[in-house]
Amino acid sequence: MQKVVAKDLKKHFKTGKKIIKAVNGVDISIKEGEVVALVGESGSGKSTLGKLLLKLIEPDAGEIFFNGMNITDLDKNEIRPLRRKMQMIFQDPFTTFNPIYKIGTQIIEAIKFHKIVDENSAEDYLAEFMRMVALHPDILKKYPHQLSGGQLQRCAIVRAISLKPEFLVCDEIISALDVSAQVQIIDLLKMLEGELKLTILFITHDIGVARRIAKNALVMKDGKIVESGVIEKILYDPSEDYTRKLISSVLSIKK
Ligand SMILES: Nc1ncnc2c1ncn2[C@@H]1O[C@H](COP(=O)(O)OP(=O)(O)OP(=O)(O)O)[C@@H](O)[C@H]1O
Ligand SMILES: [Mg+2]
């Protein structure tokens, strides 16, 4: 079954007299349970596309389907029952959490809002997810600034997956972390993907990172998907010059 489908999706931004065609006619189709990487240079439209798919922003044209249902024109009230099922995790976990509240309080708030479990069992319910991401449940009693970036990103993952989502958009979620935390988060996502049967769009500018988590990739340039398919094949035989440059840029950094 196709989990998420986009047809000729467009989002243009006007800044002064200039029009930025952030997403400019994108067709994609993500199967249930699939992890797909979305790679492309900075400004190519990756984050905009991710937000469009989750209806966090409205498209100018095109259609979006979730579980076969056309969600393009659903209003705020109509989309609410679907919100829980579609979660996004961002690059900087310090923007995910409000600095003035304890982490656990904030996650429980979301669980209560979506009526996942009743209030009395929320803490036990969360403790299980904390174990899953290898964090001590006591961390829930801390404030965001008391944690490392890697720990806080795991909490952001807990926040998202404790809502039992079906589709997860991960937007550069390891870019702000040091190398060892990056490896841990990738391993964690792989484990969760298998365990929770998630469908994931993994956004990254680094096609080398993409291959560690996903089998297939979409390559984005100037608001368009210019190449797609099995990552190993793209890496060894890219059909676009642009993709070749993307590959050599990450390989040269790693040398
Ligand atoms: N709200 C907005 N208003 C105006 N322009 C925007 C807005 N959001 C994005 N853009 C522009 O749209 C283009 C695509 O941006 P987007 O953030 O989707 O790129 P990206 O591929 O995620 O880049 P990065 O890798 O740097 O995160 C950029 O030129 C950006 O400046
Ligand atoms: Mg982005």
Side-chain angles (χ1 to χ4, degrees):
M1 191 182 102
Q2 299 302 332
K3 193 80 193 169
V4 179
V5 173
K7 289 184 184 166
D8 203 14
L9 210 53
K10 288 186 182 142
K11 181 74 180 177
H12 297 175
F13 295 106
K14 284 186 199 76
T15 52
K17 281 185 189 153
K18 245 178 90 187
I19 292 179
I20 298 166
K21 298 178 175 175
V23 172
N24 196 23
V26 164
D27 290 278
I28 56 173
S29 187
I30 307 175
K31 284 196 204 81
E32 182 162 16
E34 192 182 11
V35 182
V36 183
L38 177 61
V39 297
E41 64 186 5
S42 181
S44 55
K46 306 180 297 294
S47 298
T48 306
L49 177 57
K51 288 177 195 161
L52 283 171
L53 295 177
L54 300 192
K55 289 264 294 173
L56 296 174
I57 54 175
E58 296 298 321
D60 295 327
E63 289 180 308
I64 307 155
F65 296 83
F66 181 70
N67 288 339
M69 174 184 172
N70 190 334
I71 61 166
T72 322
D73 297 321
L74 296 190
D75 65 24
K76 264 194 179 145
N77 286 328
E78 292 168 321
I79 198 87
R80 195 163 294 141
L82 295 179
R83 276 272 163 259
R84 174 187 71 74
K85 299 184 184 177
M86 310 189 286
Q87 292 293 319
M88 189 152 178
I89 305 173
F90 298 92
Q91 174 170 355
D92 181 1
F94 289 92
T95 58
T96 302
F97 291 98
N98 187 324
I100 66 169
Y101 299 111
K102 289 177 183 164
I103 291 156
T105 311
Q106 301 185 52
I107 301 180
I108 286 176
E109 195 73 8
I111 290 174
K112 277 203 291 198
F113 179 82
H114 291 287
K115 302 189 173 69
I116 306 290
V117 288
D118 65 58
E119 201 168 339
N120 300 330
S121 38
E123 269 181 41
D124 289 343
Y125 175 76
L126 263 193
E128 192 58 43
F129 285 98
M130 293 297 277
R131 260 189 290 279
M132 237 183 227
V133 303
L135 287 180
H136 196 283
D138 279 354
I139 283 192
L140 292 170
K141 297 187 187 122
K142 294 188 187 272
Y143 292 92
H145 71 269
Q146 294 175 304
L147 302 189
S148 71
Q151 286 174 320
L152 200 57
Q153 194 60 293
R154 283 163 196 247
C155 291
I157 292 173
V158 166
R159 188 185 185 283
I161 62 174
S162 63
L163 300 176
K164 298 190 177 163
E166 296 172 16
F167 178 47
L168 202 57
V169 174
C170 300
D171 191 357
E172 303 274 9
I173 63 167
I174 63 166
S175 310
L177 307 177
D178 62 48
V179 173
S180 71
Q182 288 191 353
V183 172
Q184 289 167 357
I185 295 277
I186 292 272
D187 288 346
L188 172 62
L189 263 192
K190 276 192 196 162
M191 187 271 285
L192 293 173
E193 174 231 330
E195 204 138 305
L196 307 174
K197 298 191 174 58
L198 289 166
T199 306
I200 300 176
L201 182 68
F202 189 87
I203 299 177
T204 174
H205 59 275
D206 186 334
I207 196 163
V209 167
R211 82 196 285 205
R212 278 156 49 198
I213 178 104
K215 187 163 164 270
N216 295 308
L218 305 161
V219 180
M220 193 162 188
K221 175 181 187 260
D222 297 336
K224 289 187 155 66
I225 303 297
V226 292
E227 180 159 5
S228 66
V230 177
I231 297 181
E232 295 301 320
K233 186 176 174 302
I234 293 176
L235 276 172
Y236 293 109
D237 186 21
S239 64
E240 295 285 320
D241 260 358
Y242 170 78
T243 312
R244 207 162 289 128
K245 280 183 201 143
L246 270 185
I247 296 168
S248 62
S249 72
V250 296
L251 294 183
S252 61
I253 290 168
K254 290 208 174 110
K255 255 183 224 157

